[in-house]
């Protein structure tokens, strides 16, 4: 197990280029079994969640060839419809395999998915959507077994615009007979990118980015060579770190409109921000003023995946911020660790009241989920003195070369074996 040693108090300055978005690459990998022809995905981030997804594909019988930062997935000999339980436990996104494996084999078997413990994270919307397409589902002994003689297009209204359920239904509908309409669909940029990817394979999907997605079933899909969009959450993490510590950063590779809600808040905090195409330049004096309220919402609202990092910034802003987490029930576990560094935060249910303090002090803290882990690193960069951040396995799920990119902008952070 590794840990970070961080010497805080440095300003950050320089340039960071983000990797492809984890939350796009994962459904694209799941979608690669939809065709017999090779699928190339470029700029794949070297993170644990992606490695686990590639392992799942290999267990299904896909041949994976890695070339620098690309992966070529050849599913022509894929033969298994069972997603192995030991990998499902590691990776929640394994549930996306249901839709594509059903399209490919007309059956699928998966155990209940794992992932970061940030809430209940049920999959009822995925399953009811699949049932509307004609899938028969039996749940027993912790496994979900799905069978579909013929997938048939349907009109599906989601009770909540779930990202994963929208993606799974898109993947199951892609070759279904007739038209599928997904209403109250998630609008996240990752859904738009999945549509672009599927259409590049010959699918007929439209409407992604709006609330209604229409999928007209096609007979066959072909191979594709694809570069996914940049990771808006990775970009946001470096922007927040620099905003909090002070300094100037240029983040490359993410479209401004995909991260507008965060930029809006950071400007209110007192940061100066310039944007052009896929570049964002942020300047901060490191003495931010707090904003009154931040509420997480589905896109285009403030993303839940940036809530923890933003709370880390609020810890030393002047004044108080009320943060409301509307997506996940238990996404404040990292707060106890921030308090060990001197943060003044009260959590009640879905709300956290963060009262800005003059400074944080170094401490030994432990990550318990991906974004919470990133928040702890941001806080240790801001804190006076030395800190250690334990249990990097969570951070490794979603950030490629986190310490390397932070060091490149002046952070005093190193990774050591415990
Ligand atoms: N929900 C249900 N039933 C369902 C599905 C979801 O009640 O069948 C609820 C969830 O419990 C949650 C809310 O709907 O309260 C939102 O969940 P959603 O399905 O939208 O999230 P997800 O697909 O499981 C993806 C990202 C998450 C990100 C959320 C929200 C991937 C691989 N994961 O998860 O990313 O937080 O959307 O934007 O795309 C992360 O990267 O750290 C991360 C957790």
């Amino acid at each position: 197990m590794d840990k970070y040693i961080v010497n805080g108090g440095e300003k950050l300055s320089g340039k960071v280029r983000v990797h492809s978005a984890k939350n796009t690459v994962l459904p694209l990998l799941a979608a690669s079994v939809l065709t017999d022809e090779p699928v190339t995905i470029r700029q794949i981030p070297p993170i644990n969640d992606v490695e686990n997804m590639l392992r799942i594909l290999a267990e299904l019988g896909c041949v994976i060839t890695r070339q620098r930062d690309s992966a070529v997935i050849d599913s022509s000999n894929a033969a298994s419809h069972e997603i192995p339980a030991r990998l499902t436990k590691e990776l929640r996104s394994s549930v996306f395999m249901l839709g594509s494996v059903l399209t490919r084999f007309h059956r699928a078997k998966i155990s209940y998915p794992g992932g970061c413990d940030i809430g209940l994270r049920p999959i009822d919307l995925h399953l009811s959507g699949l049932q509307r397409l004609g899938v028969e589902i039996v749940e027993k002994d912790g496994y979900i077994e799905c069978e579909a003689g013929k997938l048939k297009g349907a009109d599906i209204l989601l009770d909540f615009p779930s990202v994963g359920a929208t993606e799974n239904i898109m993947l199951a509908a892609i070759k279904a007979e007739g038209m599928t309409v997904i209403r109250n669909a998630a609008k996240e940029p990752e859904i738009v990118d999945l549509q672009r990817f599927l259409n590049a394979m010959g699918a007929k999907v439209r409407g992604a980015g709006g609330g209604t997605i229409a999928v007209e079933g096609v007979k066959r899909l072909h191979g594709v060579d694809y570069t996914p969009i940049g990771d808006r959450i990775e970009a946001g993490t470096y922007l927040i770190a620099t905003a909090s510590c002070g300094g100037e950063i240029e983040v490359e590779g993410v479209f401004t409109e995909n991260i507008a809600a965060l930029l809006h808040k950071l400007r209110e905090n007192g940061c100066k921000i310039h944007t052009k195409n896929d570049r964002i330049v942020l300047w901060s004096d490191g003495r931010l003023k707090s904003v009154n309220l931040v509420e997480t919402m589905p896109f285009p609202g403030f993303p839940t995946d940036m809530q923890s990092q933003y709370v880390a910034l609020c810890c030393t802003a002047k004044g108080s911020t009320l943060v409301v987490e509307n997506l996940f029930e238990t996404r404040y576990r990292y707060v106890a660790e921030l308090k060990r560094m001197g943060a003044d935060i009260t959590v009640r249910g879905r709300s956290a009241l963060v009262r800005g303090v003059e400074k944080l002090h170094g401490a030994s803290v432990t990550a318990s989920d991906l974004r919470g882990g990133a928040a702890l690193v941001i806080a240790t960069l801001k804190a006076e003195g030395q800190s250690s951040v334990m249990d990097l396995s969570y951070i490794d799920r979603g950030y490629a070369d986190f310490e390397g990119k932070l060091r490149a902008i002046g952070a005093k952070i190193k990774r050591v074996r415990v």
Side-chain angles (χ1 to χ4, degrees), residues 134-160:
V135 180
E136 285 189 19
I137 299 175
V138 180
E139 296 178 58
K140 64 171 187 217
D141 305 329
Y143 283 87
I144 304 161
E145 294 187 34
C146 304
E147 191 122 18
K150 200 172 225 174
L151 288 155
K152 282 202 175 144
D155 200 308
I156 298 166
L157 174 72
L158 293 177
D159 289 339
F160 182 87

Side-chain angles (χ1 to χ4, degrees), residues 22-23 26 92-93 96 118 121-126 160-165 167 188 304-305 327-329 331 370-371:
K22 163 178 90 73
N23 291 345
L26 293 171
R92 182 181 162 78
S93 316
F96 301 143
I118 53 177
R121 308 188 83 179
I123 53 167
D124 53 312
L125 301 174
H126 300 240
F160 182 87
S162 153
V163 173
E167 292 170 342
E188 270 66 6
T304 173
D305 293 343
L327 275 292
F328 293 109
E329 296 83 359
R331 214 167 192 181
L370 166 58
R371 308 301 173 189

Side-chain angles (χ1 to χ4, degrees), residues 195-259:
Q195 167 177 285
R196 216 178 286 131
F197 174 82
L198 291 169
N199 287 344
M201 293 172 84
K204 289 192 176 159
V205 187
R206 59 177 198 275
T212 304
I213 297 176
V215 184
E216 191 184 332
V218 294
K219 288 262 180 301
R220 84 174 277 284
L221 296 174
H222 51 74
V224 66
D225 186 328
Y226 197 79
T227 304
I229 54 167
D231 197 318
R232 63 194 167 104
I233 308 301
E234 189 193 3
T237 302
Y238 295 115
L239 290 169
I240 293 173
T242 310
S244 181
C245 294
E248 183 168 339
I249 188 172
E250 180 173 345
V251 176
E252 276 184 315
V254 70
F255 288 108
T256 314
E257 62 268 26
N258 292 349
I259 195 176

Side-chain angles (χ1 to χ4, degrees), residues 307-319:
Q307 175 258 104
S308 320
Q309 304 91 314
Y310 191 76
V311 164
L313 171 149
C314 297
C315 289
T316 51
K318 274 179 253 153

